[in-house]
Amino acid sequence: MSHLQLLDEYFTQHREKHLEELKEFLRIPSISSLSEHKEDMLTAANWLAEALKKLGIENVSVDETKGHPVVYGDWLHAEGKPTILFYGHYDVQPVDPLHLWESEPFNPEIRDNKLFARGSSDDKGQVFMHLKMIEALFATEGTLPVNVKFIYEGEEEVGSPNLPAYVEENKEKLAANLIVISDTGLYAPGKPAVCYGLRGLTGVQIDVRGAKGDLHSGLYGGGVQNAIHALAEILASFRNEDGQILVDGFYDKVLPLTDEERQAYQELNFDEDALKAEIGVNELFGEKGYSYLEQTWARPTLEINGVFGGFSGEGIKTVLPAEAGAKITCRLVPNQDPEEIVELLRKHIQKHQPAGVEITVSEFDKGAPYITPFDHPVIQAAGRSYEKVYNVPTAYTRGGGSIPIVAAFDQILELPVVLMGFGLNSENFHAPNEHFHLENFDKGLRVLGDYVHEVSKLSL
């Protein structure tokens, strides 16, 4: 029997047992953002630690941080073989609004071959798949074809504030040949994808101040600067009608797409009409000269996320607002630096500052972009494993969003990162009725089991 056949037989025989164990994990309300769940966070960390020990993983520890603990473990007996560092998170989002859930968020239910519970898809269900894959390999082969390390955190849903410091302090302990993360999704139902890049993020708040207080528009209108007009002038200066960003130097370090990447995106045959119908618009808008996938995966953005100031109540109030503001975020691509982009934004705002107002620029949290070349051996090996199980070609994608800790792993450990996820965008993670399609749970276990064999053949 091949290793895939052995894995298939094992997972089929133990499916119900595994699902009951996953339900046990999902019942722990490990909401990292709410202080009343601090003990639940520790319970979840200890649950993971015990699960690793039962597998035969060694050096298991629940390590304290300034926030919630990090769970670590390793098995390093595959001499001469690569080492995979598996990452995931055991914390989950709050469940509000509770009345929209069709079943209790921490009382898992299976309906229509979908497992409903908070954390089922993001990310406890996918973390659990790592554990059961290791269990199956030990059970069917008596050993592992590679060395493995595990790092599971409890603060991903609040921005991983303490994990970069932990990684920096434990660089030697976490040394590996690659990192595998299962916290992303398929390209579409039945269509697997390896995500090889993510955009970074930075942003600022612009606060505009004019007069010392709101002024009567009849007495002062036409002779004193209106803070909202000044703000609108600044905001209009950021972008032209073709969607191009007009901040000097903004595109200088952008890593262009390769011809191979553009071809790979074209072959996905993305349906823009279906997207327009789904989101309820009659036309898409983005940077001219790029397809929608290129715009959202591989090009940087500057978006106005909110504008505030003046009177917005019922009726009219004839004033010149003294204050106005806006929040702006930029999605960044390799090789843009978040710190440099903030400085370029500051210079642009200063350059376009209208007369009669003072402007304050405040920074938000930042995250760097990340990319592992999609022709890298560890990326291509992941594609082969997906194809063996799903029996369709693997899509190679970038993510339009940001996972700051991925960039931190890339920068601190200097390792290729392989995002092997099994969720679907429709699974309501972060929303009521979160669920995980068990078809992808089943297939994902087999994909992961095959992938460690694929990695064992590589010279890394």
Side-chain angles (χ1 to χ4, degrees):
M1 270 193 184
S2 70
H3 65 260
L4 258 179
Q5 290 172 317
L6 290 169
L7 288 170
D8 184 68
E9 185 177 276
Y10 184 84
F11 287 130
T12 299
Q13 291 175 354
H14 293 81
R15 186 176 191 266
E16 294 307 313
K17 176 177 178 288
H18 289 165
L19 288 175
E20 288 305 312
E21 291 174 357
L22 175 54
K23 288 178 182 179
E24 181 182 303
F25 190 26
L26 292 170
R27 289 189 185 103
I28 305 169
S30 49
I31 303 173
S32 54
S33 62
L34 301 179
S35 59
E36 59 263 36
H37 288 283
K38 184 176 181 179
E39 289 302 313
D40 295 316
M41 295 299 299
L42 184 58
T43 298
N46 286 329
W47 191 97
L48 264 180
E50 287 303 311
L52 288 170
K53 290 175 184 177
K54 289 176 183 176
L55 295 176
I57 302 303
E58 301 166 345
N59 302 310
V60 176
S61 60
V62 177
D63 300 334
E64 291 185 2
T65 71
K66 292 180 180 178
H68 302 301
V70 169
V71 180
Y72 174 83
D74 61 43
W75 186 91
L76 305 174
H77 301 291
E79 187 175 350
K81 294 297 184 179
T83 299
I84 300 175
L85 174 62
F86 288 94
Y87 161 86
H89 64 93
Y90 62 86
D91 64 322
V92 300
Q93 283 277 329
V95 298
D96 315 82
L98 189 58
H99 71 277
L100 294 181
W101 285 80
E102 295 177 12
S103 55
E104 292 293 323
F106 295 109
N107 185 21
E109 287 188 10
I110 295 176
R111 303 193 297 272
D112 300 323
N113 204 32
K114 302 171 190 174
L115 177 58
F116 286 80
R118 173 59 89 227
S120 56
S121 179
D122 180 23
D123 181 37
K124 285 182 176 179
Q126 301 200 58
V127 163
F128 183 79
M129 291 164 67
H130 295 169
L131 309 183
K132 295 300 106 175
M133 175 268 293
I134 296 296
E135 175 187 295
L137 288 171
F138 274 131
T140 58
E141 301 177 29
T143 188
L144 301 180
V146 296
N147 301 293
V148 292
K149 297 181 179 180
F150 301 88
I151 178 173
Y152 293 126
E153 69 158 321
E155 297 184 319
E156 195 274 345
E157 299 293 6
V158 291
S160 303
N162 296 297
L163 193 59
Y166 177 91
V167 174
E168 189 72 56
E169 292 166 5
N170 293 276
K171 286 173 68 172
E172 186 174 340
K173 183 167 80 168
L174 298 173
N177 297 101
L178 68 150
I179 302 169
V180 170
I181 300 176
S182 299
D183 193 17
T184 51
L186 307 180
Y187 177 69
K191 179 68 172 177
V194 179
C195 181
Y196 66 93
L198 295 167
R199 292 194 288 191
L201 181 67
T202 194
V204 299
Q205 178 168 316
I206 305 170
D207 290 291
V208 178
R209 176 82 195 194
K212 63 181 180 181
D214 290 353
L215 301 175
H216 191 293
S217 67
L219 297 177
Y220 298 96
V224 178
Q225 180 66 275
N226 181 316
I228 294 179
H229 280 293
L231 176 65
E233 189 176 325
I234 295 168
L235 298 181
S237 73
F238 281 124
R239 220 166 58 174
N240 68 16
E241 61 186 11
D242 291 328
Q244 295 161 337
I245 296 164
L246 303 178
V247 176
D248 290 341
F250 190 86
Y251 293 111
D252 284 359
K253 295 186 177 180
V254 170
L255 184 69
L257 281 161
T258 66
D259 291 340
E260 290 80 9
E261 286 177 297
R262 300 193 90 163
Q263 180 65 29
Y265 296 175
Q266 290 173 10
E267 290 174 358
L268 293 175
N269 296 316
F270 182 78
D271 190 339
E272 293 192 359
D273 289 333
L275 174 66
K276 287 187 284 188
E278 178 186 342
I279 64 177
V281 299
N282 56 21
E283 190 173 354
L284 300 176
F285 175 82
E287 186 183 0
K288 192 173 182 180
Y290 297 90
S291 70
Y292 177 82
L293 292 183
E294 292 168 353
Q295 290 164 351
T296 57
W297 288 353
R299 296 297 294 172
T301 68
L302 187 154
E303 299 288 354
I304 301 165
N305 306 119
V307 178
F308 46 92
F311 176 72
S312 57
E314 185 177 355
I316 192 168
K317 185 179 182 183
T318 54
V319 295
L320 300 182
E323 297 178 326
K327 296 179 185 290
I328 291 171
T329 54
C330 299
R331 297 287 177 175
L332 308 179
V333 299
N335 296 317
Q336 290 181 301
D337 179 84
E339 299 286 351
E340 290 182 7
I341 294 300
V342 167
E343 288 309 306
L344 294 178
L345 294 176
R346 286 185 186 278
K347 290 178 182 177
H348 180 90
I349 293 165
Q350 184 178 17
K351 178 181 176 180
H352 291 84
Q353 178 172 338
V357 294
E358 296 179 357
I359 294 177
T360 303
V361 178
S362 307
E363 300 178 23
F364 295 130
D365 292 341
K366 307 175 187 71
Y370 132 83
I371 190 168
T372 296
F374 91 113
D375 58 355
H376 193 289
V378 297
I379 297 290
Q380 292 298 312
R384 291 193 295 274
S385 291
Y386 273 117
E387 289 175 8
K388 290 178 194 176
V389 177
Y390 280 85
N391 295 312
V392 296
T394 300
Y396 295 93
T397 69
R398 295 200 206 180
S402 307
I403 306 178
I405 194 56
V406 172
F409 278 136
D410 179 43
Q411 294 168 345
I412 299 170
L413 299 180
E414 299 181 341
L415 298 176
V417 181
V418 184
L419 296 169
M420 295 185 70
F422 301 94
L424 290 170
N425 289 340
S426 61
E427 289 179 336
N428 290 357
F429 37 85
H430 293 208
N433 301 309
E434 179 181 350
H435 57 279
F436 194 13
H437 284 69
L438 293 180
E439 174 190 1
N440 295 320
F441 172 79
D442 295 331
K443 289 182 176 179
L445 289 166
R446 292 152 174 84
V447 171
L448 290 167
D450 184 76
Y451 183 60
V452 296
H453 279 277
E454 285 284 349
V455 170
S456 73
K457 303 171 189 174
L458 301 177
S459 299
L460 299 174

